[in-house]
Amino acid sequence: MKFFRSRSDKRRWSRRLVDDETRVFVDEVLEETSEIFRTASGEFQLRGLCLDVFASAPITDILHLKEAGVDGEQFYRRELAPNWEGLTQEQRAHKIDQFIELSHMLGQAEPGGHPADQFLEIVATVHVKVLLLAWAHDRTYSYMDRLFNGPLQYRSHRYRLAGGRV
């Protein structure tokens, strides 16, 4: 039974949160943002990442949201900011866990035939929200990122300790 229609970009809609296209997106697009959107305190600038992704990422979920009239600023204000700004690390992690669970529930939905555009927009919104929130959380709180790239300047310190040798 076909669940999602084929698209002109040869990718079928997926009910999975992470598929091959998403892995490429994380490896080739998000990975390059590790330093670009980090503040001096180590906090990750989620708004900047969101705007950048909406401006340049050609993944199906982003394309679908843009076709529905959603832009990066609007997506950040409506979907990301309430789940990021002013929250503690634990609160952010809890929100991400809830969205992952929602994604799993959407993946189990059987709307019958071709799903409505509203359903596809919800799926795309949840997928993008989970990816960006989880990425920002990992880049803000990951110990390795904090050691090598945060305010500790671990690389510089180790370089000095090694007498200028790598």
Side-chain angles (χ1 to χ4, degrees):
M1 173 175 115
K2 288 187 177 181
F3 187 75
F4 294 110
R5 68 178 174 189
S6 294
R7 293 188 42 98
S8 60
D9 61 6
K10 305 292 185 209
R11 179 181 182 258
R12 296 176 57 84
W13 279 98
S14 173
R15 293 187 292 171
R16 294 182 54 187
L17 176 58
V18 177
D19 56 13
D20 291 338
E21 181 185 59
T22 305
R23 287 182 193 281
V24 170
F25 171 68
V26 169
D27 291 342
E28 295 180 7
V29 175
L30 293 184
E31 191 59 46
E32 294 192 11
T33 68
S34 293
E35 294 310 309
I36 297 171
F37 297 110
R38 185 186 307 281
T39 64
S41 68
E43 181 80 10
F44 197 80
Q45 298 175 357
L46 182 56
R47 180 181 173 272
L49 174 64
C50 182
L51 296 176
D52 185 63
V53 164
F54 268 81
S56 61
I59 64 170
T60 303
D61 290 330
I62 297 289
L63 296 173
H64 183 75
L65 291 172
K66 288 168 78 172
E67 288 172 5
V70 178
D71 66 15
E73 184 65 41
Q74 177 186 13
F75 190 84
Y76 179 77
R77 279 193 323 270
R78 187 180 73 210
E79 303 295 340
L80 299 178
N83 300 295
W84 187 257
E85 292 181 6
L87 300 181
T88 66
Q89 178 180 357
E90 293 77 22
Q91 290 170 323
R92 289 172 174 175
H94 182 69
K95 292 281 189 177
I96 294 166
D97 288 340
Q98 288 177 323
F99 292 124
I100 290 171
E101 183 63 31
L102 177 58
S103 175
H104 291 307
M105 289 170 38
L106 291 171
Q108 295 170 356
E110 296 289 339
H114 178 66
D117 285 342
Q118 293 84 2
F119 179 78
L120 297 177
E121 187 173 338
I122 290 170
V123 169
T125 298
V126 171
H127 283 184
V128 172
K129 187 185 308 191
V130 168
L131 288 172
L132 297 184
L133 286 171
W135 185 261
H137 189 277
D138 185 63
R139 292 304 177 242
T140 298
Y141 303 112
S142 168
Y143 288 110
M144 293 309 292
D145 274 2
R146 287 186 2 216
L147 286 176
F148 286 103
N149 302 310
L152 298 175
Q153 297 301 313
Y154 188 71
R155 283 186 191 147
S156 301
H157 177 69
R158 297 282 295 167
Y159 184 76
R160 284 193 310 272
L161 286 177
R165 296 182 309 277
V166 177

